[in-house]
Amino acid sequence: MQTPNNDNSPKKESGSKHASDAAGAREQSSEIVGARMPAMQREKRDYDYEKTLDGHIAAVRAVAVLADGRIVTGGNDTTLLVWSAATKEEYAAARAEIRAQYARMASSSTDLSFGIHAESQNSLLRQRMIHAALRGHTQPITCVANIRDGRIVSGSADGTLRVWTERKGDSEWISDALRAHAGPITSVKVTEEPHIISGSSDGTVRIWSEQARGRWQCETLLGHTGGVESIDRFPNGDILSGGADGTVRIWHRLPSGWQNAVTVNGYDPIRAVTVLGNDEFVSVGAQAVSTFRRNPETQMWSWHMLEGPKQPQVLPNGDLVGFTQEPGIGVWRCNEQGAWERIAFRKDWRDMIQVTVLTCGGILMRTGWMDEGRWKRDIEVFRLDEDDNLCFEVRFTSKGARGEVGDIPFPDGRFGILHDDGGVEVYRGTLV
């Protein structure tokens, strides 16, 4: 069904973040089960703290990286922030310069002290780090994506998409507001043409095409009876959507418009869908994960379900990673016969908090444990090597001074530790 958006032309607007015994138990209880240990030291990726992005006043929910290295963050404060592409060294130098400036002030007056002016120092650092603040959304920003020509698109709980264009030379961005959805935007995908595909809690998928600069038209895909939670695109151009109604739908383009070519009904609300190729995809539900494969001769789809993993996520090669009941972290693979096999497992005595798949293929695991009456948070990164060994790469302990709400992968392989006050600690990985 095609639904032109001629009556809702975009509006141009401008907008300017246990004690020592426990430590021993920790080493004894962490092990790899079900996978061969590597016979020699393999190349690994080490993560190094890069910088902290302190500018939002509420938690960050979405991240994009521009071609020139600038980071774009969107959060619950309804604002997009464009950060300068400062390196780790440049960031550290700016911070040191500001601290030295305030230290000189403190030494010349008994009324000034380093601690009192900590927020002023952070404010100056923000001014240097933030390239632009983009305002226009009226509710939390849920997703951000790049358009290949340098523009960015953001989706919000206010039901709108905004396409942001930078005006060169003055750090100002203008936006086209795309209004058609009747509910919060849940996901957005940008194609090469470029088209923008958006999913919403209103149960629709919309495909936006630019007829002329700043003039957008949308086609509406109807079929879901609950909110669309996730969308992806097949290499052949077909669109995949998963909904809270428990259905997965494949949409195919015909000369007459888009049609719902395949519908798979289930009982489990879909949280995420991931395309692995034209003939394979994975859907993650609230209680189970399913791999779907198409027979090239019959063109019929078959699927195989796996129940049990907690917080499951899909790795780039189609494997599944998640927390197990033991407890620990496991990796599963669906073989050619359709049977799921657990190919790796790592026990852990600590409380499992979160698992995140990084865009470079790493597996980031967050755990919590008590040490001398204090709650410690560990972040560890693992990776499957070419022999399917679950290899430990790096561990570091969060100080826990600020409330942490999760981790977020960056498109360029970095990741951020998110804080409830809107800060993002950025870590970059290098092969060592």
Side-chain angles (χ1 to χ4, degrees):
M1 175 182 295
Q2 294 185 341
T3 305
N5 194 36
N6 298 333
D7 296 333
N8 293 294
S9 58
K11 180 182 179 182
K12 288 276 188 183
E13 301 182 22
S14 63
S16 56
K17 193 248 292 123
H18 288 316
S20 58
D21 292 341
R26 177 182 176 189
E27 296 300 326
Q28 296 173 9
S29 298
S30 299
E31 59 178 322
I32 303 290
V33 179
R36 301 185 303 276
M37 293 298 292
M40 57 182 292
Q41 180 67 34
R42 297 184 185 275
E43 194 175 50
K44 69 176 184 177
R45 184 178 294 267
D46 192 19
Y47 285 88
D48 185 30
Y49 169 79
E50 185 176 294
K51 54 194 169 189
T52 297
L53 308 179
D54 271 325
H56 290 278
I57 59 173
V60 168
R61 298 178 63 176
V63 168
V65 178
L66 301 178
D68 60 7
R70 287 179 295 171
I71 298 171
V72 181
T73 55
N76 287 342
D77 59 1
T78 75
T79 302
L80 284 166
L81 294 180
V82 182
W83 302 85
S84 64
T87 65
K88 174 185 176 181
E89 293 73 21
E90 291 170 337
Y91 173 80
R95 191 176 190 91
E97 180 185 335
I98 293 171
R99 286 185 172 182
Q101 173 185 339
Y102 275 83
R104 288 192 297 269
M105 294 170 60
S107 65
S108 62
S109 172
T110 57
D111 296 328
L112 296 175
S113 70
F114 183 82
I116 291 175
H117 293 275
E119 180 51 41
S120 297
Q121 295 175 53
N122 289 336
S123 179
L124 281 176
L125 188 59
R126 281 194 292 270
Q127 291 176 28
R128 294 194 184 188
M129 292 293 295
I130 296 175
H131 185 264
L134 315 185
R135 298 182 176 91
H137 288 295
T138 59
Q139 293 189 41
I141 293 169
T142 57
C143 45
V144 184
N146 291 343
I147 302 176
R148 65 178 181 179
D149 59 6
R151 292 180 291 175
I152 56 177
V153 57
S154 57
S156 169
D158 62 13
T160 68
L161 296 160
R162 285 182 177 269
V163 178
W164 301 88
T165 304
E166 183 176 18
R167 298 176 62 175
K168 300 298 183 181
D170 58 7
S171 300
E172 184 182 5
W173 295 65
I174 58 174
S175 67
D176 299 327
L178 312 187
R179 298 183 173 95
H181 285 291
I185 307 299
T186 56
S187 53
V188 65
K189 186 85 173 179
V190 178
T191 68
E192 296 81 4
E193 285 78 1
H195 295 309
I196 297 172
I197 309 171
S198 57
S200 168
S201 63
D202 65 5
T204 67
V205 176
R206 294 182 184 266
I207 304 170
W208 304 82
S209 56
E210 195 171 21
Q211 306 304 301
R213 192 71 172 185
R215 294 182 57 190
W216 294 83
Q217 175 178 295
C218 76
E219 301 172 82
T220 305
L221 312 187
L222 301 172
H224 286 285
T225 58
V228 175
E229 297 298 321
S230 180
I231 54 175
D232 205 350
R233 185 173 182 261
F234 291 92
N236 63 10
D238 289 352
I239 295 172
L240 178 67
S241 62
D245 57 3
T247 68
V248 177
R249 296 173 182 266
I250 299 175
W251 307 85
H252 180 67
R253 183 68 181 263
L254 296 175
S256 58
W258 289 88
Q259 73 165 12
N260 186 179
V262 176
T263 301
V264 180
N265 295 286
Y267 67 92
D268 198 14
I270 306 301
R271 293 178 174 173
V273 290
T274 303
V275 168
L276 302 178
N278 281 327
D279 298 317
E280 187 174 5
F281 68 89
V282 177
S283 72
V284 178
Q287 300 180 44
V289 180
S290 297
T291 289
F292 294 77
R293 288 175 177 159
R294 176 164 52 190
N295 186 308
E297 296 181 357
T298 65
Q299 295 297 300
M300 299 295 293
W301 289 87
S302 62
W303 65 93
H304 305 275
M305 185 181 299
L306 172 67
E307 295 182 288
K310 295 181 292 183
Q311 298 186 26
Q313 294 191 43
V314 181
L315 290 166
N317 65 351
D319 291 344
L320 183 75
V321 61
F323 292 134
T324 61
Q325 301 288 342
E326 279 80 349
I329 184 173
V331 179
W332 291 261
R333 178 172 297 164
C334 190
N335 61 29
E336 291 299 325
Q337 290 71 44
W340 284 93
E341 303 172 331
R342 191 170 73 180
I343 62 172
F345 169 62
R346 179 185 184 275
K347 285 185 179 180
D348 206 303
W349 60 271
R350 296 161 297 180
D351 290 336
M352 305 288 105
I353 300 176
Q354 183 174 331
V355 63
T356 303
V357 173
L358 306 179
T359 55
C360 60
I363 302 167
L364 188 152
M365 180 176 70
R366 181 187 293 279
T367 58
W369 54 288
M370 294 297 295
D371 182 16
E372 296 181 351
R374 296 187 60 186
W375 180 256
K376 296 290 187 69
R377 297 177 176 89
D378 270 5
I379 297 175
E380 298 174 87
V381 178
F382 300 85
R383 186 182 301 272
L384 277 179
D385 66 9
E386 64 272 18
D387 297 322
D388 295 334
N389 299 305
L390 189 58
C391 298
F392 169 80
E393 291 195 347
V394 65
R395 172 191 297 146
F396 50 94
T397 302
S398 171
K399 299 183 183 301
R402 305 166 65 180
E404 297 171 1
V405 296
D407 310 305
I408 190 167
F410 281 39
D412 59 2
R414 287 179 287 182
F415 70 88
I417 301 176
L418 306 181
H419 298 282
D420 56 8
D421 62 1
V424 184
E425 295 176 18
V426 181
Y427 291 81
R428 176 182 293 278
T430 56
L431 290 175
V432 296

